[in-house]
Amino acid sequence: MRKGVMRPGHVQLRVLDMEEALGHYRDLLGLIEVERDSAGRVYLKGWTEVDKFSVVLRETDTPGMDFMAFKVLDDQVLEQLQGELVAYGCQVEVIPAGELNGCGRRVRFEAPTGHVFELFADKEQTGKWGLDAVNPEAWPRDLTGMKATRFDHCLLYGDDIDGTLTLFRDVLGFELAEQVVGEEEEKLALFMTVSTKAHDVAFIKHPEKNKFHHASFLLETWEDVLRAADLISMHDVSLDIGPTRHGLTHGKTIYFFDPSGNRSEVFCGGDYHYPDHPTVTWTGDKLGKAIFYHDRQLNERFLTALT
Ligand SMILES: [Fe+2]
């Protein structure tokens, strides 16, 4: 049952060199640089996003994800879910309003897979970038790079995905849109949604806790994904795989790496989900096809290149 969690709100990523990272997230992906804070973090957003920012980059000496946050409907929902997280047994920490510029208080908790998540209800709304609120044009004229429209989801690797499924489904109201199951019906991968998207966050079972696989950004068309592939070659960016299609979610995709080794995805299309839809299941013996629908086999990097 939906509980008032709306959508992914932001992800904070660790990068080794901020200027190189901006060459990736701003100039190549085409995210809009919004501002920098007193801690040196840089805030960015996709041009269609109404909130002030969705990606925060923090320079440090190890890559990976600090946390991913979901926006909830209002403060009452935030209070309610904070209480339910505590009652469920999560360690909950409240981050005060303003710790991220323009963001209200955040309720932070750790999932059984070791990843840090946050909920928040308020963030300054600055509107779609470069467009008027009234009579908006189709798109801003001065976009760069891949022209990423929004931060869409993360794929995360961790050990206790059964525990994380229970937490996200029973406490936070996510639905299991798609899954991969093994021979004993054990869960190998979860694609979870709180919207009509095929996934808002996904998990793959892995022996270590708290590993980051990719942050994904939505493009409009398959032509845009091909154009992204051209840009990856033009700028000699490290390519993982693609352009190709996923079996899971059926999105059309390309994976590549930022200069710190964090994987990015841009994609378009794919399945949709409503609360009455049954979970789509892929079986472990078809994992290659589930991940890379055309190649029908995994590349080693997909399982091992994590930050
Ligand atoms: Fe993805």
Side-chain angles (χ1 to χ4, degrees), residues 152-155 191 199 202 213-216 246 253 255 265 267:
D152 189 88
H153 63 269
C154 287
L155 173 58
F191 290 71
H199 54 334
H213 189 273
H214 68 262
S216 185
H246 290 305
T253 178
Y255 285 149
E265 174 183 44
F267 80 106

Side-chain angles (χ1 to χ4, degrees), residues 6-18:
M6 275 197 297
R7 54 179 159 81
H10 53 252
V11 61
Q12 181 167 303
L13 298 174
R14 298 188 300 271
V15 298
L16 306 181
D17 180 295
M18 187 59 78

Side-chain angles (χ1 to χ4, degrees), residues 5-303:
V5 179
M6 275 197 297
R7 54 179 159 81
H10 53 252
V11 61
Q12 181 167 303
L13 298 174
R14 298 188 300 271
V15 298
L16 306 181
D17 180 295
M18 187 59 78
E19 287 313 309
E20 283 186 10
L22 286 170
H24 181 88
Y25 292 95
R26 181 191 58 200
D27 304 337
L28 179 65
L29 276 162
L31 298 175
I32 313 301
E33 181 179 337
V34 176
E35 72 175 48
R36 302 183 182 212
D37 70 15
S38 56
R41 292 178 297 187
V42 178
Y43 299 46
L44 305 106
K45 68 184 276 181
W47 68 269
T48 67
E49 295 178 290
V50 295
D51 282 356
K52 178 175 179 173
F53 65 87
S54 59
V55 174
V56 180
L57 302 178
R58 181 171 77 87
E59 188 178 86
T60 183
D61 50 12
T62 49
M65 183 185 85
D66 280 334
F67 49 80
M68 179 185 182
F70 296 95
K71 192 174 192 185
V72 306
L73 275 174
D74 55 29
D75 211 57
Q76 202 180 338
V77 170
L78 189 61
E79 285 279 313
Q80 173 76 24
L81 291 177
Q82 180 179 338
E84 291 187 30
L85 284 166
V86 170
Y88 187 72
C90 287
Q91 286 283 1
V92 170
E93 184 187 359
V94 177
I95 312 298
E99 196 277 333
L100 281 168
N101 288 355
C103 189
R105 86 175 190 287
R106 291 130 63 202
V107 171
R108 181 178 287 178
F109 61 97
E110 190 179 312
T113 46
H115 301 94
V116 177
F117 291 97
E118 299 179 343
L119 305 176
F120 68 95
D122 292 309
K123 190 182 281 179
E124 187 185 334
Q125 291 211 317
T126 50
K128 294 186 182 186
W129 184 81
L131 297 180
D132 295 326
V134 178
N135 305 327
E137 301 294 354
W139 34 262
R141 290 176 177 81
D142 38 5
L143 295 170
T144 56
M146 298 174 185
K147 308 177 186 181
T149 66
R150 70 169 185 231
F151 164 52
D152 189 88
H153 63 269
C154 287
L155 173 58
L156 306 170
Y157 277 40
D159 55 352
D160 186 3
I161 64 170
D162 295 312
T164 293
L165 170 61
T166 305
L167 174 67
F168 272 68
R169 186 186 54 206
D170 298 353
V171 181
L172 300 175
F174 281 66
E175 286 144 23
L176 184 60
E178 304 208 13
Q179 63 179 348
V180 181
V181 300
E183 279 176 25
E184 317 272 309
E185 294 291 306
E186 76 279 17
K187 299 206 185 302
L188 303 176
L190 314 170
F191 290 71
M192 307 204 69
T193 184
V194 277
S195 63
T196 56
K197 290 158 55 188
H199 54 334
D200 288 306
V201 64
F203 297 92
I204 287 185
K205 192 170 176 62
H206 177 76
E208 295 164 282
K209 282 191 184 294
N210 192 23
K211 302 307 281 184
F212 173 77
H213 189 273
H214 68 262
S216 185
F217 301 88
L218 182 68
L219 304 184
E220 290 187 329
T221 67
W222 176 228
E223 198 70 29
D224 291 335
V225 177
L226 298 182
R227 188 174 164 280
D230 291 339
L231 286 166
I232 286 166
S233 282
M234 279 179 207
H235 294 278
D236 208 19
V237 169
S238 174
L239 175 70
D240 185 5
I241 194 165
T244 185
R245 181 194 285 278
H246 290 305
L248 286 148
T249 77
H250 296 130
K252 288 156 275 186
T253 178
I254 187 165
Y255 285 149
F256 50 106
F257 293 96
D258 80 4
S260 307
N262 297 308
R263 189 186 279 94
S264 298
E265 174 183 44
V266 292
F267 80 106
C268 71
D271 298 334
Y272 62 89
H273 176 88
Y274 283 99
D276 64 327
H277 286 197
T279 300
V280 174
T281 297
W282 285 80
T283 52
D285 61 318
K286 291 279 190 287
L287 188 62
K289 190 172 183 177
I291 304 287
F292 300 127
Y293 188 69
H294 299 151
D295 287 358
R296 283 162 277 153
Q297 57 187 9
L298 290 182
N299 63 1
E300 183 62 17
R301 277 190 308 277
F302 186 86
L303 296 173

